[in-house]
Amino acid sequence: MATACIYPFLLSLSFTFFMFCSASTEADTLLSFKAFIDDPKNSLSSWSNTSGVHHCNWTGIICIPTPSLYVSSINLQSLNLSGEISSSICDLPYLSQLNLADNLFNQPIPLHLSECSSLETLNLSNNLIWGTIPDQISQFDALKVLDLSKNHVEGKIPETIGSLVHLQVLNLGSNLLSGSVPLVFGNFTELVVLDLSQNAYLVSEIPTDIGKLEKLELLFLQRSGFLGEIPASFVGLQNLTNLDLSQNNLTGKLPQTLGFSLKKLVSFDISENKLFGSFPRSICDGKGLKFLSLHTNLFSGSIPNSISECLNLEIFQVQNNGFSGDFPSGLWSLPKLMLLRAENNRFSGELPDSISKAAQLEQVQIDNNSFTGKIPQGLGLVNSLYRFSASLNGLSGEIPPNFCDSPVMSIINLSHNTLSGQIPELKKCRKLVSLSLADNSLTGQIPPSLAELPVLTYLDLSDNRLSGSIPQGLQNLKLALFNVSFNQLSGTVPLSLISGLPASFLEGNPGLCGPGLPNSCSDEQAKHHSSGLTTLTCALISIAFAIGTVIVAAGVFVFHRYSKRKSQIGVWRSVFFYPLRLTEHDLIMGMDEKSALGSGGPFGRVYNISLPSGELVAVKKLVNFGSQSSKALKAEVKTLAKIRHKNIVKVLGFCHSDESIFLIYEFLQKGSLGDLISRPDFQLQWSLRLRIAIGVAQGLAYLHNDYVPHLLHRNLKSKNILLDSDYEPKLTDFSLDRLVGEAPFQSTMASEFAHSCYNAPEHGYSKKATEQMDVYSFGVVLLELITGQQAEDIESLDSLDIVKWVRRKVNITNGALQVLDPKISNSSQKEMLGALEIAMRCTAVMPEKRPSMFEVVRTLQSLNSRTCLPNLELSTSEDQSLPV
Ligand SMILES: *[C@@H]1O[C@H](CO)[C@@H](O)[C@H](O)[C@H]1NC(C)=O
Ligand SMILES: *[C@@H]1O[C@H](CO)[C@@H](O)[C@H](O)[C@H]1NC(C)=O
Ligand SMILES: *[C@@H]1O[C@H](CO)[C@@H](O)[C@H](O)[C@H]1NC(C)=O
Ligand SMILES: *[C@@H]1O[C@H](CO)[C@@H](O)[C@H](O)[C@H]1NC(C)=O
Ligand SMILES: *[C@@H]1O[C@H](CO)[C@@H](O)[C@H](O)[C@H]1NC(C)=O
Ligand SMILES: *[C@@H]1O[C@H](CO)[C@@H](O)[C@H](O)[C@H]1NC(C)=O
Ligand SMILES: *[C@@H]1O[C@H](CO)[C@@H](O)[C@H](O)[C@H]1NC(C)=O
Ligand SMILES: *[C@@H]1O[C@H](CO)[C@@H](O)[C@H](O)[C@H]1NC(C)=O
Ligand SMILES: *[C@@H]1O[C@H](CO)[C@@H](O)[C@H](O)[C@H]1NC(C)=O
Ligand SMILES: *[C@@H]1O[C@H](CO)[C@@H](O)[C@H](O)[C@H]1NC(C)=O
């Protein structure tokens, strides 16, 4: 403050003297600011008084000529800086913008920056800022832009924040704020952007005075703990373009005049709340609406045909409500519509042929409604359509021959309708993954052309009136599901379709014959041929396996010798993120057979090492494929080390040479969940297993959604889940792709773990790793917890892996009860069945059928609260020493 008063005075006193003086002071100020900053990549190398570069030309600096050159803006975002944000920077009298976003500053909110008299913009987004927002936040009353998003700021928002009356942007999203939001937002009359989203611990009504913010354009309150009604005052948000209130706990009716008032709306999302009442009329009055989502609420009544005036609409989602009446027919032909979801309502009406005008349409999901009439020819003309799902309706008539003509079509579900006639030849949809026509009245043969669809994985033709034999060619497909039960099929079943899939998929076709079926084929020759084939296949598999073992063994041997020799002479570099008293020498000396755990994963072994200081650490030794520079590698490890989550193992540091990378993790005494399950005396109580499942799910959800950059685990299995002394699970071995490089990662996974049952079915053909693949692996781990069986212990799983074993059992009446671990008392049966249902969804064949980890966490937690048992309830004798 004092500086601000003195400067005008000095200026008038001696202009020339001051100019000279200020140039050197400003550079010095910047240098002393730099002195407190840790700059690992040397991004601030130009910041130097010997470089000969004027300080206005230093990295990130912008000067304004008022009255001579003064620093007005410092932008140092995304440079991986850490250290201290020194208040010395406030000696720059004209500094108006400070952007330190996307760095690693780890400290409370730097209140001392309020001394910067001209500061208008402060951006500290995506750092490691922690602690509460102090009452003194009011000192920032000159700020126009405050962005503290994506940090670890916690506690209540203080009332004093209401003093920041000049704010135009306030972003507190993705933090750990809690409690209720104070009623001071009406003070922010200049506000254009308000973001309080993703603060899961807030429990608050939406402050009614937000409705006073006439200038507000963007309002993001999604995924926080808002409850109660949407304030009627929202009709005052005349300038609002984007409103997101999704995934809260809002109740009550939507203010009816809302649509009428908010004429500038582009995006309107109130999905996943408990709102009711009728569809917001006039929502399209402004014509600009592109995104409309009301899904998963309790809305009812019909949707007015005026919705077809939304000529710019791209996304329309009203699924999971109680809407009824004729579906607005104009909606089907909106020229920009891409996604239409209306499943699980009670809509009626027919699909018009004019759907062909929806030239951008990609996805239609209208399952579980009361649509009637024929599937229009026009549908086959929409070339962008890749998903059409209209099961559980009253659609009738023949399937038009062109209906799978879209070159990108991959999912069709027309099950549970009253379609008749033959299944047309499907030749053009080379991308078709899933075809379900179950429970219709289709006749004729299974078209042999199905066998030529290269990625077809899921085929359900059950419960129709199909006849003839099962085309031999279908054996060539990698079908995960093939259900032709309850038809009138006959003849020999192709062998691989019998051996690989549950018998229930063939039942109800008395004319079918083959080994293992009620009817053996009368044709002896066919029988001979097939048993010969089995023997041959077995022999081939054993030979292949033997060769594989030899190759792997030889590889391990060579690698071992090679690395032993090199590791003693190589040049080592280490980086520690925690104060470890440790040298590479200690690590190498500590790595012997005695300290090695298990046989190691695909990328190398883990060793438990006791440091000279007495501390224990776990060290994973990876092959350094040399796919990235030492600098890039360091940056990648840093990304992993920055993660702070109770369910993720801490990376303490790493050392690397040209040959190896040693990742140093915290040590956890209970070993891995996989080891625990494999013990013959494994018998954890259900409440504890559920707690482990929730912890694992939370860790994954954090990697997927909350951590920036978003990460994938890519190698989740029970062996990679470690347990601390309280059985709190921690994920390890995550995101190794970032260290070894994508190509070596993929080829290692493909060579050694291609057939692991933790891998999702699409692992084979999908080039891109996805969150859904992690969800699948999680489902497998959950099955292990529910059944008490190891996923790949095929001896006790009838020669199957756990997923197939459970799926076969579950298809039988009361089979679900048979898969539950018998060592757990019946009193937990209900919760275990609940968990089984989640596990089945996670391991769904169709990736998009799998829930998000966020949803998994929520569902598992709801099971937990139902259990009402103490959290720790142990039974094994060994476990009794644990704290309760
Ligand atoms: C450069 O800066 C350093 C530290 O800020 C200072 O000690 C030194 O005297 C300066 N040199 C010149 C030539 O200004
Ligand atoms: C900054 O660099 C530009 C081009 O390199 C130069 O024209 C300009 O004069 C420099 N500014 C100062 C203040 O030295
Ligand atoms: C803060 O910086 C981040 C990272 O560049 C950027 O995405 C965000 O928009 C900035 N915040 C504001 C309010 O400009
Ligand atoms: C709201 O702003 C006024 C000045 O415009 C100020 O007097 C009042 O204290 C502010 N309210 C809060 C809660 O800070
Ligand atoms: C709404 O926004 C427009 C420009 O987008 C602006 O001219 C107008 O002043 C704003 N309305 C209010 C009430 O601030
Ligand atoms: C919604 O509110 C109810 C009680 O009001 C509470 O039990 C529930 O946990 C809340 N759900 C969420 C997702 O916040
Ligand atoms: C069909 O939708 C209704 C709501 O309209 C819902 O209650 C029911 O569970 C849904 N059925 C299926 C099979 O999803
Ligand atoms: C097809 O729809 C039915 C009924 O909605 C559903 O049970 C089934 O899982 C769906 N199949 C696929 C592959 O999506
Ligand atoms: C196979 O189809 C039959 C008849 O539609 C059905 O009862 C059965 O549940 C289906 N099996 C599976 C696993 O989808
Ligand atoms: C910062 O480090 C992370 C890894 O810690 C890396 O992914 C990122 O590219 C680095 N940022 C820059 C700008 O190099």
Side-chain angles (χ1 to χ4, degrees):
M1 286 296 165
T3 26
C5 305
I6 290 168
Y7 271 107
F9 172 68
L10 276 180
L11 274 174
S12 57
L13 205 74
S14 167
F15 191 71
T16 17
F17 167 76
F18 183 68
M19 259 175 66
F20 170 75
C21 185
S22 89
S24 66
T25 8
E26 291 227 312
D28 283 349
T29 302
L30 290 173
L31 288 176
S32 62
F33 178 72
K34 178 187 170 182
F36 286 94
I37 287 182
D38 183 12
D39 174 19
K41 298 177 359 165
N42 209 9
S43 317
L44 303 184
S45 57
S46 64
W47 289 40
S48 143
N49 58 359
T50 53
S51 67
V53 180
H54 189 272
H55 70 270
C56 287
N57 271 347
W58 291 356
T59 304
I61 304 293
I62 296 175
C63 290
I64 43 158
T66 331
S68 93
L69 283 177
Y70 284 93
V71 175
S72 71
S73 164
I74 301 180
N75 181 354
L76 300 179
Q77 71 172 34
S78 311
L79 298 176
N80 284 347
L81 304 177
S82 58
E84 198 186 306
I85 305 170
S86 150
S87 64
S88 62
I89 201 73
C90 292
D91 290 345
L92 302 171
Y94 292 97
L95 180 66
S96 77
Q97 294 195 25
L98 180 59
N99 185 352
L100 300 174
D102 301 334
N103 282 298
L104 300 163
F105 289 104
N106 184 342
Q107 60 166 82
I109 297 172
L111 273 183
H112 52 255
L113 292 181
S114 61
E115 288 164 24
C116 299
S117 53
S118 305
L119 195 64
E120 292 183 345
T121 297
L122 177 58
N123 192 344
L124 295 172
S125 171
N126 196 26
N127 276 281
L128 298 164
I129 306 288
W130 46 269
T132 56
I133 304 179
D135 281 342
Q136 295 85 332
I137 192 79
S138 53
Q139 292 167 6
F140 278 119
D141 51 5
L143 279 187
K144 292 188 176 160
V145 174
L146 177 59
D147 191 341
L148 294 173
S149 59
K150 300 183 193 161
N151 280 294
H152 304 300
V153 179
E154 60 186 12
K156 282 183 74 163
I157 302 176
E159 275 194 25
T160 53
I161 204 169
S163 309
L164 312 190
V165 292
H166 301 296
L167 281 182
Q168 294 166 1
V169 176
L170 176 59
N171 190 346
L172 301 175
S174 300
N175 275 294
L176 306 168
L177 295 169
S178 57
S180 73
V181 175
L183 202 65
V184 295
F185 285 73
N187 249 18
F188 301 144
T189 49
E190 300 298 314
L191 211 57
V192 178
V193 179
L194 176 59
D195 189 339
L196 301 177
S197 66
Q198 304 206 51
N199 278 287
Y201 303 112
L202 284 179
V203 181
S204 179
E205 303 216 333
I206 299 178
T208 49
D209 53 353
I210 286 183
K212 292 187 193 156
L213 308 182
E214 289 181 1
K215 295 190 180 166
L216 202 63
E217 292 174 13
L218 313 181
L219 177 55
F220 299 117
L221 304 181
Q222 74 274 15
R223 289 182 66 180
S224 286
F226 288 104
L227 39 80
E229 303 198 3
I230 297 178
S233 62
F234 266 36
V235 297
L237 298 173
Q238 311 272 343
N239 253 0
L240 204 63
T241 58
N242 293 57
L243 176 63
D244 193 344
L245 305 178
S246 64
Q247 296 188 42
N248 280 293
N249 220 342
L250 300 171
T251 53
K253 279 194 180 175
L254 200 61
Q256 264 311 297
T257 48
L258 202 61
F260 181 70
S261 312
L262 309 186
K263 289 218 172 18
K264 294 196 176 168
L265 273 184
V266 174
S267 171
F268 183 75
D269 190 349
I270 54 172
S271 56
E272 297 187 62
N273 281 291
K274 292 175 197 137
L275 297 162
F276 56 87
S278 51
F279 186 84
R281 269 157 212 283
S282 322
I283 194 85
C284 279
D285 273 10
K287 309 274 188 268
L289 198 67
K290 288 185 181 171
F291 183 105
L292 176 61
S293 180
L294 312 182
H295 79 80
T296 320
N297 277 292
L298 304 165
F299 288 107
S300 57
S302 62
I303 295 186
N305 224 333
S306 60
I307 188 79
S308 53
E309 288 161 21
C310 282
L311 288 178
N312 287 303
L313 200 63
E314 293 171 8
I315 311 268
F316 178 77
Q317 307 191 114
V318 296
Q319 71 270 25
N320 308 327
N321 278 293
F323 286 119
S324 57
D326 268 2
F327 193 75
S329 61
L331 196 62
W332 289 112
S333 42
L334 286 179
K336 296 191 177 163
L337 194 67
M338 294 194 298
L339 172 66
L340 189 162
R341 292 190 62 176
E343 71 267 24
N344 301 328
N345 283 291
R346 292 189 297 275
F347 287 116
S348 53
E350 297 196 4
L351 308 188
D353 204 42
S354 59
I355 192 173
S356 60
K357 290 188 204 153
Q360 310 290 324
L361 198 59
E362 294 177 354
Q363 275 194 72
V364 173
Q365 290 172 248
I366 53 169
D367 313 74
N368 191 18
N369 280 288
S370 303
F371 285 97
T372 51
K374 288 187 171 188
I375 296 172
Q377 289 268 353
L379 187 69
L381 302 175
V382 182
N383 272 332
S384 45
L385 197 63
Y386 73 82
R387 174 173 196 151
F388 184 76
S389 182
S391 65
L392 289 162
N393 277 290
L395 299 173
S396 58
E398 294 196 6
I399 301 174
N402 72 346
F403 97 115
C404 203
D405 276 5
S406 161
V408 290
M409 181 63 91
S410 48
I411 298 166
I412 293 174
N413 194 343
L414 294 171
S415 63
H416 310 288
N417 280 289
T418 50
L419 300 166
S420 55
Q422 303 212 355
I423 303 175
E425 293 283 350
L426 305 178
K427 291 204 160 142
K428 291 200 178 161
C429 33
R430 308 281 300 167
K431 300 245 165 86
L432 195 64
V433 172
S434 171
L435 175 64
S436 180
L437 301 174
D439 189 19
N440 279 288
S441 304
L442 298 167
T443 53
Q445 303 221 344
I446 299 176
S449 58
L450 286 181
E452 277 140 47
L453 302 178
V455 291
L456 191 61
T457 311
Y458 183 111
L459 181 58
D460 189 352
L461 305 176
S462 64
D463 228 339
N464 277 290
R465 281 185 242 135
L466 300 170
S467 54
S469 59
I470 299 176
Q472 287 287 329
L474 291 180
Q475 297 199 85
N476 306 333
L477 295 175
K478 293 205 177 60
L479 289 172
L481 261 152
F482 173 70
N483 197 345
V484 291
S485 59
F486 302 103
N487 277 288
Q488 288 144 25
L489 298 167
S490 56
T492 310
V493 180
L495 194 75
S496 77
L497 295 179
I498 297 182
S499 59
L501 298 161
S504 65
F505 288 159
L506 299 171
E507 72 180 318
N509 289 286
L512 286 179
C513 68
L517 295 184
N519 302 336
S520 56
C521 301
S522 52
D523 183 353
E524 272 309 304
Q525 210 192 340
K527 206 169 181 181
H528 252 116
H529 178 67
S530 60
S531 68
L533 197 70
T534 328
T535 331
L536 182 65
T537 319
C538 276
L540 277 179
I541 290 176
S542 352
I543 292 173
F545 185 74
I547 295 177
T549 315
V550 170
I551 292 177
V552 170
V556 168
F557 180 66
V558 169
F559 167 64
H560 195 72
R561 292 200 39 190
Y562 180 70
S563 58
K564 227 338 169 332
R565 186 166 48 83
K566 284 287 184 154
S567 60
Q568 269 137 30
I569 52 171
V571 181
W572 286 92
R573 284 159 296 247
S574 2
V575 178
F576 299 140
F577 306 111
Y578 284 76
L580 284 176
R581 269 157 296 153
L582 168 68
T583 62
E584 298 86 43
H585 184 73
D586 296 333
L587 286 183
I588 295 164
M589 292 313 286
M591 283 191 194
D592 50 27
E593 284 306 309
K594 227 171 60 230
S595 63
L597 296 178
S599 53
F603 301 97
R605 294 180 94 165
V606 176
Y607 300 83
N608 276 346
I609 293 184
S610 165
L611 303 180
S613 62
E615 286 166 280
L616 281 165
V617 292
V619 178
K620 175 146 187 126
K621 182 174 176 180
L622 295 164
V623 182
N624 190 349
F625 289 94
S627 53
Q628 45 193 348
S629 70
S630 156
K631 224 173 168 182
L633 181 64
K634 199 169 140 186
E636 290 295 350
V637 181
K638 225 170 174 181
T639 304
L640 304 188
K642 215 176 108 178
I643 301 173
R644 308 272 171 86
H645 191 276
K646 74 176 174 17
N647 297 115
I648 296 173
V649 168
K650 281 201 199 85
V651 178
L652 307 179
F654 79 116
C655 343
H656 65 117
S657 70
D658 289 343
E659 285 79 32
S660 308
I661 303 170
F662 295 162
L663 263 184
I664 308 167
Y665 293 108
E666 66 180 314
F667 172 78
L668 290 159
Q669 61 211 94
K670 278 237 166 328
S672 78
L673 178 63
D675 294 338
L676 195 67
I677 295 178
S678 70
R679 293 209 320 234
D681 61 345
F682 171 66
Q683 45 175 293
L684 284 190
Q685 276 294 327
W686 174 247
S687 55
L688 202 48
R689 295 191 199 192
L690 181 58
R691 221 179 55 147
I692 293 175
I694 292 174
V696 174
Q698 283 171 332
L700 266 189
Y702 182 77
L703 291 181
H704 287 178
N705 305 318
D706 298 328
Y707 191 64
V708 181
H710 296 332
L711 296 176
L712 298 174
H713 189 297
R714 300 191 70 179
N715 191 18
L716 181 71
K717 49 187 170 182
S718 51
K719 293 250 190 230
N720 286 337
I721 295 166
L722 303 180
L723 300 170
D724 76 3
S725 56
D726 276 343
Y727 286 95
E728 189 68 49
K730 291 174 190 275
L731 304 179
T732 187
D733 251 17
F734 47 92
S735 310
L736 295 182
D737 52 320
R738 299 182 73 101
L739 306 187
V740 301
E742 179 64 26
F745 183 86
Q746 280 211 7
S747 68
T748 310
M749 288 300 276
S751 62
E752 291 191 43
F753 279 77
H755 302 297
S756 159
C757 79
Y758 291 98
N759 288 345
E762 70 272 18
H763 196 269
Y765 60 83
S766 164
K767 287 205 179 59
K768 200 169 157 274
T770 61
E771 283 176 15
Q772 286 104 329
M773 292 181 178
D774 276 353
V775 173
Y776 187 95
S777 311
F778 173 80
V780 178
V781 172
L782 187 55
L783 287 177
E784 292 183 279
L785 285 167
I786 294 166
T787 61
Q789 302 271 9
Q790 287 174 270
E792 287 169 332
D793 179 10
I794 61 169
E795 267 166 45
S796 54
L797 295 172
D798 310 332
S799 313
L800 297 167
D801 66 48
I802 200 165
V803 180
K804 298 211 179 83
W805 182 74
V806 169
R807 285 211 177 263
R808 281 193 192 185
K809 294 261 182 191
V810 167
N811 285 334
I812 304 166
T813 328
N814 279 335
L817 290 176
Q818 287 178 29
V819 306
L820 307 184
D821 189 344
K823 281 173 285 183
I824 289 183
S825 87
N826 282 348
S827 64
S828 308
Q829 212 172 66
K830 219 172 133 199
E831 293 90 55
M832 291 178 78
L833 288 175
L836 180 61
E837 194 189 315
I838 302 169
M840 298 300 285
R841 285 174 58 210
C842 291
T843 52
V845 177
M846 309 296 307
E848 79 288 339
K849 281 262 156 124
R850 298 172 206 150
S852 68
M853 283 319 299
F854 179 73
E855 190 187 339
V856 171
V857 170
R858 274 214 298 210
T859 324
L860 286 174
Q861 278 172 339
S862 73
L863 290 176
N864 196 21
S865 54
R866 249 186 273 156
T867 321
C868 290
L869 288 171
N871 253 351
L872 275 173
E873 198 192 287
L874 308 166
S875 75
T876 59
S877 52
E878 192 217 326
D879 296 330
Q880 242 130 50
S881 59
L882 281 169
V884 175

